[in-house]
């Protein structure tokens, strides 16, 4: 019995030394068969129970020596195969080694701000609506009560598609208002985040592409007071509890009345700084009551329903919140800029 086991050990040794795998795959098969956690060399140490007590010590020594020899044989084979591969492919090193750790990325500041805005409005029951960036003239302008000769339609501002004169890159997310209202009957309560395009000269303040979040609420008896409360809630959630708002009369073709909303400057606490240009107020969005003409255009009866809408630039909010003074930074993908942002959102 004992002789058997010593014989088996010697056979195994011969087998291992004779093995000459030539490829990385064959070498791995060798490793698994002999040196792996369920390999034969583990098995060998179980044979020890068949060895008579006086020979156990001897057997243990030989088994250990075999294990070491097998390991050395494996290492030698491995360097030979690697050297061969290096000669053939020019690739150096152990290709089966784990790669260098992949650094964890940070969310883009525009994504962080968009998610914050979405989070605030979803608390109020707004649903997210997304739609196309390549839009037709009707949804971007006509339905939104923007007359044919309105300056916003000018070729100067709008990117039209060369071969499709009715098609354009949407100039605002208000097109999603038209899309949603033609598809869905009130009550409608949506926010629409997305990218928009304008033919602007790129500078620290302006870019040809940027992002907006649109808000739209249409139902029976929606009033200006609802608009004001909604935006006041948003302003406090976004810019801090102490934030005050003010609405200044303004003009948009698709809202009547229209307003621009300012928040009290959260940077200087409305004392006056260069962000608020020493006025204590910063402008953050445009808004108003949905013009009855818009409701008519999309097939909603303005005698039965009313609504409010608002739209804000996301870059603008991000620039204010993070005190970023150049809009181009958002689109340059410079890791030194991007990795400064971290957020749970
Ligand atoms: N669409 C307007 C803009 O791009 C913003 C806006 C949206 C104003 C909704 C009023 C209502 O400037």
């Amino acid at each position: 019995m004992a002789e058997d086991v010593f014989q088996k050990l010697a056979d195994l040794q011969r087998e291992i030394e004779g093995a000459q795998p030539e490829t990385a795959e064959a070498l791995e098969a060798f490793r698994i068969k002999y040196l792996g956690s369920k390999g034969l060399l583990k098995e060998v140490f179980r044979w020890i129970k068949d060895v008579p007590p006086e020979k156990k010590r001897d057997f243990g020594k030989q088994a250990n020596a075999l294990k070491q020899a097998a390991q050395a044989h494996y290492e030698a084979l491995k360097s030979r195969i690697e050297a061969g591969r290096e000669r053939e492919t020019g690739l150096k090193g152990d290709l089966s080694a784990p790669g260098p750790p992949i650094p964890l990325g940070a969310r883009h500041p525009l994504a962080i701000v968009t998610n914050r805005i979405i989070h605030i409005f979803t608390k109020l029951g707004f649903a997210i609506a997304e739609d196309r960036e390549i839009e037709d003239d009707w949804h971007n302008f006509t339905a939104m009560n923007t007359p044919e000769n309105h300056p916003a339609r000018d070729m100067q501002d709008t990117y039209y598609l060369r071969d499709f004169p009715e098609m354009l890159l949407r100039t605002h997310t208000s097109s999603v208002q038209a899309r949603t209202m033609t598809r869905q009957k009130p009550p409608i309560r949506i926010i629409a985040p997305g990218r928009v395009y304008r033919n602007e000269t790129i500078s620290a303040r302006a870019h040809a592409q940027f992002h907006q979040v649109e808000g739209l609420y249409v139902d029976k008896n929606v009033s200006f007071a609802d608009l004001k409360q909604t935006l006041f809630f948003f302003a406090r959630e976004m810019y801090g509890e102490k934030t005050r708002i003010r609405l200044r009369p303004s003009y948009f073709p698709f809202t009547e009345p229209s307003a621009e909303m300012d928040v009290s400057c959260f940077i200087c606490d409305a004392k006056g700084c260069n962000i608020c240009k020493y006025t204590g107020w910063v402008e953050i969005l445009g808004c108003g009551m949905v013009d009855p003409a818009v409701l008519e255009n999309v097939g909603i009866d303005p005698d039965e329903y009313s609504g409010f809408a608002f739209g804000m630039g996301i870059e603008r909010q991000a620039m204010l919140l993070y005190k970023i003074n150049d809009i181009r930074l958002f689109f340059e993908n410079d890791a030194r800029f991007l990795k400064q942002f971290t957020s749970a959102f």
Side-chain angles (χ1 to χ4, degrees):
M1 191 67 168
E3 296 313 311
D4 259 19
V5 176
F6 278 96
Q7 188 56 47
K8 268 165 81 181
L9 200 62
D11 290 348
L12 186 58
Q13 178 158 12
R14 217 167 307 114
E15 188 182 316
I16 289 173
E17 282 169 359
Q20 298 293 335
E22 276 169 10
T23 64
E25 293 75 31
L27 179 67
E28 181 59 4
F30 171 91
R31 189 190 65 76
I32 291 167
K33 181 168 179 192
Y34 298 108
L35 295 161
S37 57
K38 290 184 184 132
L40 283 171
L41 284 163
K42 281 259 152 49
E43 177 72 20
V44 160
F45 289 92
R46 252 173 261 136
W47 299 346
I48 215 156
K49 66 177 185 318
D50 300 329
V51 179
E54 71 280 7
K55 289 192 173 160
K56 275 198 198 301
R57 202 186 151 85
D58 220 20
F59 183 85
K61 260 193 190 157
Q62 284 188 31
N64 268 322
L66 175 56
K67 197 175 148 192
Q68 274 165 22
Q71 188 66 40
H73 188 52
Y74 169 77
E75 299 296 342
L77 289 165
K78 189 171 159 187
S79 1
R80 202 165 70 202
I81 289 169
E82 266 170 23
R85 194 207 57 229
E86 274 175 36
R87 259 195 318 280
E88 274 170 36
T89 64
L91 294 169
K92 286 199 191 319
D94 178 1
L95 295 192
S96 66
I102 298 166
L104 202 59
R107 239 187 249 297
H108 193 282
L110 294 179
I112 296 172
V113 172
T114 308
N115 289 345
R116 262 185 76 175
I117 298 169
I118 288 174
H119 182 70
I120 295 168
F121 285 106
T122 41
K123 282 203 248 184
L124 296 176
F126 283 76
I128 298 168
E130 283 180 307
D131 224 297
R132 64 213 69 188
E133 292 176 17
I134 301 174
E135 215 9 304
D136 55 47
D137 192 273
W138 191 82
H139 288 91
N140 195 81
F141 290 129
T142 310
M144 298 314 289
N145 200 33
T146 305
E148 203 84 43
N149 53 1
H150 192 278
R153 276 181 110 121
D154 202 318
M155 292 290 283
Q156 301 289 309
D157 294 313
T158 307
Y159 289 116
Y160 286 91
L161 269 60
R162 192 186 53 207
D163 298 329
F164 302 90
E166 285 297 299
M167 302 296 285
L168 46 86
L169 300 182
R170 66 179 179 195
T171 59
H172 53 184
T173 43
S174 300
S175 59
V176 186
Q177 286 193 38
R179 286 273 164 201
T180 308
M181 288 191 285
T182 46
R183 195 165 42 214
Q184 200 180 315
K185 293 294 144 223
I188 293 169
R189 194 157 47 190
I190 53 139
I191 46 162
R195 201 194 313 258
V196 301
Y197 303 84
R198 284 179 204 176
N199 192 357
E200 300 254 8
T201 307
I202 295 170
S203 70
R205 299 264 133 221
H207 210 288
Q209 55 163 344
F210 56 100
H211 298 77
Q212 291 187 328
V213 174
E214 191 84 7
L216 174 69
Y217 179 29
V218 183
D219 203 349
K220 291 183 173 143
N221 304 315
V222 176
S223 70
F224 200 90
D226 296 327
L227 169 63
K228 201 170 153 188
Q229 271 315 114
T230 304
L231 294 179
F232 187 37
F233 176 80
F234 166 72
R236 277 180 310 185
E237 292 277 309
M238 190 77 178
Y239 293 106
E241 257 171 51
K242 283 190 285 181
T243 306
R244 286 168 297 133
I245 61 167
R246 77 175 181 189
L247 292 162
R248 283 177 291 104
S250 185
Y251 171 78
F252 299 102
F254 32 87
T255 46
E256 181 59 35
S258 303
E260 265 158 314
M261 186 173 91
D262 299 338
V263 292
S264 51
C265 186
F266 49 90
I267 289 166
C268 62
D269 216 3
K271 288 188 186 72
C273 67
N274 63 351
I275 301 280
C276 64
K277 304 198 183 73
Y278 300 92
T279 64
W281 297 93
V282 281
E283 184 200 317
I284 61 160
L285 56 80
C287 61
M289 299 307 291
V290 178
D291 194 305
V294 172
L295 295 176
E296 243 159 46
N297 289 341
V298 296
I300 293 175
D301 182 358
D303 292 329
E304 196 179 348
Y305 293 104
S306 56
F308 67 67
F310 55 87
M312 68 187 96
I314 298 176
E315 282 77 359
R316 176 152 179 82
Q317 321 292 316
M319 288 169 87
L320 290 169
L321 283 169
Y322 295 122
K323 304 191 182 97
I324 294 164
N325 59 13
D326 192 327
I327 195 171
R328 291 169 292 198
L329 286 164
F330 293 118
F331 304 107
E332 278 165 3
N333 277 337
D334 185 332
R336 290 169 304 178
F337 171 70
L338 295 175
K339 71 181 176 201
Q340 296 177 56
F341 301 91
T342 50
S343 170
F345 279 103

